[in-house]
Amino acid sequence: MVIASCFLEMEPPRLAQGMAEKFINRLPFASVWTARCGQLTGLPEHAQRLLESERLLLVFPEGARGTAKLWKDRYSLVDFGTGFMRLALRTKSPIVPFAFLGGGDAIPTVTNLYKVGNLLGLPYLPVTPWLLPLPRPVGLSVHFGEPMRFEGGGAEDDDTMHRRADEVKARIAGLIERARR
């Protein structure tokens, strides 16, 4: 949905390519589907190549941890990694924060089975009120913020990178709150 929004609603239209979690390549159907949709395995070298070619890269700084949120936490954000920030600095790319609302309602997770997920090659297996993690039809929305630019080359100390990642996280949290209102 975010990719479609970038293409259909941005001016000028942009084709975004996303970074898929590495475990997806171990799942036959999901691997083919993500590749055919133009998504790449979430490796830093893939991301850097795209950004150096001035392509639009879609990343979720929460990673798989963000998808493991329970329904009661659906509007919260987990800690961001700093890889996206280092990459943006190395390639002199702006970060365009966005809020995606509705995913937690589509698959309202009540618990996650981590051991069962690991046996299946997944980070976890979500359990919904109807047991299976099948999405239900709900309203989804995407809200884009203003681009954020940071100075540096990507080799800054970890504390600096975490502070900058927290700035992006705070901006996204603000977008979520405004969209909810």
Side-chain angles (χ1 to χ4, degrees):
M1 182 173 166
V2 178
I3 292 169
S5 179
C6 288
F7 189 74
L8 299 172
E9 297 174 11
M10 289 183 102
E11 193 56 47
R14 297 286 306 270
L15 180 59
Q17 289 183 278
M19 296 277 96
E21 287 288 335
K22 293 174 218 148
F23 77 87
I24 289 182
N25 284 334
R26 294 191 301 266
L27 305 173
F29 172 76
S31 177
V32 171
W33 181 71
T34 56
R36 287 185 179 170
C37 290
Q39 311 320 301
L40 303 170
T41 302
L43 298 173
E45 55 268 24
H46 291 164
Q48 186 162 341
R49 204 168 325 133
L50 280 172
L51 290 174
E52 287 172 346
S53 300
E54 298 186 10
R55 305 288 296 272
L56 184 59
L57 176 64
L58 174 64
V59 297
F60 290 87
E62 294 178 295
R65 295 179 319 273
T67 63
K69 287 184 278 197
L70 300 180
W71 184 80
K72 64 182 178 66
D73 301 318
R74 66 193 179 280
Y75 298 119
S76 67
L77 296 169
V78 300
D79 288 336
F80 284 16
T82 58
F84 79 100
M85 181 60 67
R86 290 187 189 282
L87 183 64
L89 290 171
R90 270 197 311 272
T91 60
K92 310 279 188 256
S93 300
I95 294 172
V96 180
F98 70 92
F100 177 77
L101 276 72
D105 291 322
I107 301 179
T109 304
V110 293
T111 192
N112 291 305
L113 304 177
Y114 290 94
K115 289 181 181 178
V116 174
N118 286 332
L119 290 172
L120 298 171
L122 306 169
Y124 62 91
L125 185 65
V127 177
T128 66
W130 48 89
L131 299 180
L132 297 175
L134 299 173
R136 62 190 189 122
V138 298
L140 303 172
S141 62
V142 181
H143 306 269
F144 293 98
E146 292 297 318
M148 299 174 75
R149 296 183 185 279
F150 296 90
E151 296 294 322
E156 289 76 9
D157 62 275
D158 288 345
D159 287 340
T160 299
M161 299 312 278
H162 283 290
R163 276 195 308 276
R164 290 177 176 175
D166 286 343
E167 285 180 51
V168 176
K169 182 179 174 182
R171 182 79 59 92
I172 294 170
L175 290 169
I176 291 170
E177 284 308 310
R178 275 193 297 281
R180 288 185 65 200
R181 280 187 251 131

